[in-house]
Amino acid sequence: MITIPLRILLVEDSATDVALIKRNIKKIVEDPQFELVEDLSGCENKMMNFIPDLVISDYNLPNCDGFEVLELTQKIDPEMPFIFITGTIEDEDLAANTILAGATGFILKKHMPQLDEKLKPLFKKIVYNMVANDELRERIRKNKIAVNQIYNYLDELNADKEEQMENLDKIRQDIKNSKSGEDDANKA
């Protein structure tokens, strides 16, 4: 059993599959921490704020496909392990393309009864790499969270600034309107 806690981002829209995946992972990981999303925006948010150790994704999702999730993940963290667990990849070329595109592995949902056995070698490789770089990984995770918090704060400041500029423009316009009203009253 893997005793290192793993932070796992699940990109999946089927509640049944989520339950099966979690149950199988708990057979091989002592303390898994899960976050669940169903779309790209949720994935991006969790990649920035949850900072997972690996991403597990379905291929067919309501608003996107697995390649889009993989591309987003690689854009945010090119070293992030990424595993497809899907019923879609029946085509050998498509399966090969997922690996060539950077996925760590893929498992067909028809193998769900043996999912823990299919995941075990992939997880062992991920954990081996994590342990080798554990201190660095934790510092990077904390730095990413801090940077993301700074970006969020700056976005809020920009939004506040835009609102203040709009309010100032309204005040200027009101002053201008009241002055022109006074001028018209003085002329009369």
Side-chain angles (χ1 to χ4, degrees):
M1 174 156 297
I2 296 171
T3 57
I4 294 174
L6 284 179
R7 299 165 61 87
I8 302 168
L9 176 59
L10 288 176
V11 186
E12 175 64 68
D13 62 319
S14 165
T16 302
D17 289 342
V18 168
L20 289 170
I21 291 168
K22 284 182 173 183
R23 183 176 330 129
N24 278 283
I25 289 173
K26 287 177 181 178
K27 290 178 184 179
I28 57 174
V29 179
E30 189 174 293
D31 185 23
Q33 299 169 21
F34 296 101
E35 286 290 335
L36 174 66
V37 297
E38 295 182 6
D39 58 25
L40 285 175
S41 64
C43 181
E44 183 173 20
N45 177 287
K46 293 302 179 185
M47 286 292 296
M48 304 297 262
N49 297 307
F50 175 61
I51 317 290
D53 296 313
L54 72 137
V55 176
I56 297 176
S57 180
D58 191 1
Y59 187 83
N60 278 333
L61 297 159
N63 300 317
C64 61
D65 66 40
F67 273 122
E68 292 172 292
V69 176
L70 176 60
E71 287 173 353
L72 174 68
T73 301
Q74 290 177 331
K75 178 182 164 192
I76 295 171
D77 185 350
E79 302 299 317
M80 180 63 61
F82 191 101
I83 300 170
F84 281 109
I85 298 180
T86 184
T88 299
I89 304 178
E90 299 293 339
D91 179 344
E92 290 178 10
D93 290 335
L94 186 57
N97 287 338
T98 63
I99 300 300
L100 291 173
T104 306
F106 72 90
I107 299 168
L108 295 174
K109 286 185 177 179
K110 70 181 183 181
H111 298 295
M112 200 66 89
Q114 302 89 24
L115 182 61
D116 60 321
E117 293 174 25
K118 300 277 185 187
L119 285 174
K120 192 179 285 187
L122 296 171
F123 277 31
K124 282 185 178 184
K125 181 179 176 184
I126 291 166
V127 168
Y128 176 79
N129 291 334
M130 285 173 52
V131 170
N133 300 309
D134 195 41
E135 183 180 321
L136 177 62
R137 182 177 62 93
E138 193 56 34
R139 283 196 339 231
I140 289 171
R141 173 179 283 128
K142 288 178 181 177
N143 287 342
K144 283 182 180 181
I145 290 171
V147 167
N148 293 335
Q149 289 172 343
I150 290 168
Y151 279 135
N152 288 339
Y153 177 73
L154 291 174
D155 287 343
E156 289 173 14
L157 282 179
N158 283 336
D160 288 346
K161 179 182 173 187
E162 288 176 20
E163 184 180 339
Q164 289 173 356
M165 293 304 289
E166 288 173 11
N167 288 338
L168 283 173
D169 287 342
K170 287 178 186 176
I171 291 169
R172 286 185 187 120
Q173 188 61 41
D174 288 346
I175 291 171
K176 185 178 176 181
N177 289 342
S178 69
K179 281 185 179 180
S180 67
E182 287 175 10
D183 291 342
D184 289 345
N186 289 337
K187 288 180 184 176

